Amino acid sequence: MATTRISAPLRGLPQQLARLSTRQPALPARCTKTITTSFARPIATSSAARAAVSPAATSAESFVPVVPFAEQKVLATIHQFPSLEPLRFEEFPANHLHLPTRKDILHRAVIYEGDMTRLGTASTKNRWEVRGSERKMRPQKGSGKARVGDVRSPTIRSGGVSHGPRPRDFSTELQKKVYDLAWRTALSYRYRRGELIIVDNAMEIESPSTKLLEHILKYQAKQRGGRGRSLLITLEERPMLEMALEELESGDTTLLWDEVDVKNLLEGSRVLIERAALHNILISHQEDLTHKPLPAFSRRLVRSSPAEDLESVVGWPEFRGLMLTDAADLDAARAAAYESVASTRYAHAESLGPSAQQTQLTLSAYRLLAEAKEAQFKTRTGMPFADYTRIAGQHDALDRFPAVQALDYQISQQTSLGHTADETSPLAANQHYLDVRLLEADKQSLLLDAALLAAQVYEHRAEAHRLAGEEGAAEVALARASVQRTNVDSLDLDAMSARVEVAKQRKRVMLARGDEGGVKRAEKEVREAEEALDRAVVGQEGALGEVQEEGDVVDEVVPEVTTKSEQKS
């Protein structure tokens, strides 16, 4: 059905129609079904084939009744989304999904849709609508120049426009039966090329995860031959699918069944359509067959898809609530929702016995936890985790965080103000230096949080890879997590040292103010910070000593085993 939405300009229409094959292939035996009779002679499938039958073959002995094309059936595979696993075959009329390709019909339909979407609002002012005096600019004769009228003349700059565009309606007319035939012709073209993928369930993903959707689209492109954009036609709004497609920026689009045009069906490489949406499209575009218009609120149209397959997904209410969150609070809400759903799925998996469902739920939980930590990493540092992964091995990787750069700028500004205040007021200078120490402490805390979040991301990824059977990727993720954990230990000491410096500088400020009570509180804060730093240093040294002792034991055992093997040899 035609839509009133503003579609893209009709670019490349000759190229789109040129690649359409006008050859009518025979109905393949593996995917077609015709009405059979008791005769063994094959049934002709077109008027041209029936005309080619010789008169001798139409004798009483060899006469076979020809089955009308409208009564023939074709079989289409129904798939399961998102795995595209084949479920069953379903019959469709041949005049719905196996029509010959008619370039002329498709061209007329695409031009009709393009004309319907043209706004026609271009407008200019003629000489009677522009503002200006009606006095003649100069005498008709005697000046040696061309004759001219008033300032509103089209020949004068800033005058009116002659024969300019005016608001108009560009829409054209096309017979409803021809347009319905074009719809089914476009679907038939996709069907015969194997590019019409019909799915039985709602095309909605369990979480708005770009990684999950990217994996699905790559698998579809691999199974359906080559790259290219996909058009996903749904019965209702699929908020998670749309959100993931927008973030993915792969060129794949999703439209409702009543928003699709013939031009949309001819674009792209594949068409994924829900079975209920295909049913509505075929019912809405068969007036040339039934010769009866379809009422606007016909009971034959499917209004909503059953939500059992979505409501049964663990965590679906949280994801549905996430779709209603404001865009400004979406990142923080996403991380919280992912962690909540991950814990729910992990607990549900623990209640199940060893099975494929338990493994799938646990794998999904670890993936959601990894994405939650990635969202928190971006919120904390201002840099997407994927960008940090590419520069993690460089020496200045931590200084490239936008949040760190903002703190460095503030530190430089406060330091310069402190140098200026040294000449005027010691109290003001100490206060500026306290602000510098606080900013430095915030910087060290930010770096510590970044390293901790990165370590957690790699650890969750390692568990997900292990459950998926990807041992090599799991080892790489664990190695990266170990590096980040080492960074966490060193950055933890730096953060504690920064807190000690803050406490000492706060003591100097209290001394400059002459506040004895403040000085005592600052001295207590300094002692507590130094004791915490000492405990952390002793704890890390003890852990390092245990690791070295384990390494020495291994070094002692390995030569002994080697010696025994050498003695045996």
Side-chain angles (χ1 to χ4, degrees):
M1 60 187 295
T3 179
T4 57
R5 66 184 179 85
I6 302 176
S7 62
L10 300 178
R11 298 191 181 97
L13 179 59
Q15 289 81 357
Q16 295 177 19
L17 296 177
R19 68 188 184 97
L20 302 182
S21 174
T22 58
R23 182 174 60 87
Q24 166 66 13
L27 293 175
R30 62 178 178 84
C31 64
T32 61
K33 176 181 179 182
T34 59
I35 297 178
T36 58
T37 63
S38 60
F39 301 95
R41 181 166 168 262
I43 299 173
T45 59
S46 64
S47 59
R50 292 195 296 270
V53 179
S54 61
T58 60
S59 60
E61 298 83 14
S62 60
F63 177 75
V64 176
V66 177
V67 178
F69 182 72
E71 298 180 7
Q72 297 178 14
K73 303 289 185 180
V74 294
L75 293 179
T77 306
I78 307 300
H79 300 267
Q80 176 76 21
F81 187 85
S83 63
L84 292 189
E85 176 185 1
L87 297 178
R88 65 182 185 276
F89 289 107
E90 188 168 326
E91 292 184 353
F92 289 90
N95 55 8
H96 282 181
L97 292 183
H98 210 276
L99 290 174
T101 302
R102 292 280 304 274
K103 290 185 179 180
D104 55 335
I105 297 296
L106 295 175
H107 182 272
R108 292 179 63 183
V110 173
I111 295 301
Y112 164 72
E113 292 172 350
D115 292 341
M116 288 286 290
T117 56
R118 293 187 66 176
L119 295 179
T121 56
S123 178
T124 56
K125 293 183 179 181
N126 56 28
R127 65 180 304 162
W128 310 113
E129 295 173 335
V130 296
R131 186 175 180 179
S133 173
E134 297 183 2
R135 182 179 61 86
K136 189 174 178 63
M137 295 183 64
R138 57 175 175 263
Q140 182 82 352
K141 297 179 180 296
S143 64
K145 298 181 180 180
R147 55 191 176 184
V148 68
D150 54 21
V151 295
R152 299 185 294 179
S153 172
T155 59
I156 302 299
R157 185 174 181 179
S158 74
V161 178
S162 77
H163 309 295
R166 306 293 293 179
R168 53 169 294 189
D169 183 11
F170 284 94
S171 62
T172 56
E173 295 183 356
L174 183 66
Q175 295 88 339
K176 182 66 167 61
K177 295 182 178 181
V178 176
Y179 189 54
D180 291 345
L181 179 60
W183 264 90
R184 301 199 312 278
T185 301
L187 289 172
S188 301
Y189 169 74
R190 287 296 190 185
Y191 169 78
R192 285 201 303 271
R193 290 175 59 92
E195 298 171 352
L196 182 66
I197 307 172
I198 307 173
V199 298
D200 191 43
N201 56 328
M203 284 195 295
E204 182 68 301
I205 54 181
E206 62 181 12
S207 62
S209 170
T210 57
K211 294 183 179 179
L212 174 62
L213 185 59
E214 185 178 9
H215 176 73
I216 294 171
L217 296 177
K218 284 184 178 179
Y219 178 78
Q220 292 173 356
K222 181 179 179 181
Q223 294 295 320
R224 299 294 164 176
R227 301 177 180 177
R229 295 180 292 109
S230 299
L231 173 64
L232 291 81
I233 304 176
T234 61
L235 180 67
E236 296 177 301
E237 294 285 349
R238 307 297 181 208
M240 297 186 192
L241 181 66
E242 295 174 3
M243 179 179 177
L245 281 175
E246 290 178 359
E247 294 182 359
L248 192 58
E249 297 181 355
S250 61
D252 302 274
T253 56
T254 176
L255 294 173
L256 296 178
W257 71 272
D258 53 354
E259 296 177 348
V260 184
D261 292 335
V262 175
K263 179 174 177 286
N264 300 131
L265 295 177
L266 299 178
E267 293 177 331
S269 299
R270 292 166 297 278
V271 176
L272 282 79
I273 184 170
E274 297 177 1
R275 186 171 61 89
L278 179 62
H279 169 79
N280 286 356
I281 290 176
L282 294 177
I283 291 296
S284 303
H285 297 287
Q286 60 175 358
E287 187 174 336
D288 59 323
L289 302 177
T290 60
H291 306 288
K292 295 180 180 180
L294 184 71
F297 298 96
S298 175
R299 295 184 178 180
R300 301 174 63 187
L301 295 177
V302 180
R303 298 298 177 182
S304 61
S305 59
E308 289 80 6
D309 53 344
L310 297 179
E311 296 296 338
S312 60
V313 176
V314 179
W316 174 254
E318 289 84 350
F319 289 138
R320 176 62 71 177
L322 184 62
M323 296 300 102
L324 304 177
T325 307
D326 295 336
D329 304 331
L330 188 59
D331 290 337
R334 180 184 302 176
Y338 282 12
E339 288 185 343
S340 175
V341 174
S343 61
T344 304
R345 289 185 178 180
Y346 190 83
H348 184 66
E350 290 293 327
S351 64
L352 301 175
S355 60
Q357 183 181 4
Q358 182 190 34
T359 304
Q360 188 67 25
L361 282 174
T362 308
L363 177 62
S364 175
Y366 279 116
R367 285 178 175 173
L368 286 175
L369 283 175
E371 293 195 24
K373 298 304 179 182
E374 290 180 9
Q376 293 176 3
F377 183 90
K378 181 181 178 181
T379 304
R380 190 74 173 93
T381 64
M383 175 182 290
F385 188 77
D387 296 344
Y388 171 70
T389 304
R390 290 192 290 268
I391 64 172
Q394 302 179 13
H395 66 282
D396 60 341
L398 301 180
D399 296 333
R400 297 189 186 182
F401 293 149
V404 171
Q405 293 176 354
L407 288 174
D408 288 337
Y409 177 76
Q410 296 179 19
I411 290 172
S412 62
Q413 293 294 320
Q414 291 295 334
T415 303
S416 61
L417 291 176
H419 291 319
T420 305
D422 281 337
E423 303 175 357
T424 57
S425 172
L427 176 60
N430 284 318
Q431 185 63 48
H432 285 297
Y433 288 138
L434 177 60
D435 295 338
V436 171
R437 298 294 178 264
L438 290 172
L439 291 173
E440 290 176 348
D442 292 342
K443 177 182 176 181
Q444 294 300 327
S445 176
L446 188 152
L447 295 177
L448 176 61
D449 293 343
L452 183 59
L453 290 172
Q456 292 173 348
V457 169
Y458 287 129
E459 289 169 354
H460 295 323
R461 284 185 179 180
E463 291 295 332
H465 288 313
R466 184 182 59 80
L467 290 173
E470 302 170 353
E471 296 297 336
E475 292 179 0
V476 172
L478 284 176
R480 293 179 177 177
S482 178
V483 173
Q484 294 296 332
R485 285 295 179 181
T486 304
N487 295 337
V488 167
D489 294 338
S490 61
L491 290 172
D492 190 14
L493 295 179
D494 295 340
M496 290 184 177
S497 300
R499 285 195 288 270
V500 171
E501 295 298 328
V502 168
K504 291 180 178 180
Q505 186 61 36
R506 185 173 286 114
K507 178 181 177 181
R508 297 189 187 99
V509 172
M510 295 303 170
L511 288 173
R513 288 180 179 177
D515 187 355
E516 296 182 359
V519 171
K520 292 181 180 180
R521 290 192 298 270
E523 289 178 349
K524 181 180 178 181
E525 183 180 355
V526 170
R527 287 195 304 270
E528 293 176 353
E530 289 179 345
E531 290 175 359
L533 178 60
D534 293 338
R535 288 194 299 268
V537 171
V538 172
Q540 292 191 15
E541 289 179 352
L544 181 61
E546 292 178 359
V547 172
Q548 290 179 351
E549 290 177 0
E550 292 178 358
D552 294 339
V553 171
V554 172
D555 293 339
E556 293 176 359
V557 172
V558 170
E560 182 179 356
V561 174
T562 306
T563 304
K564 291 182 180 180
S565 62
E566 290 177 354
Q567 291 175 358
K568 291 181 180 180
S569 61

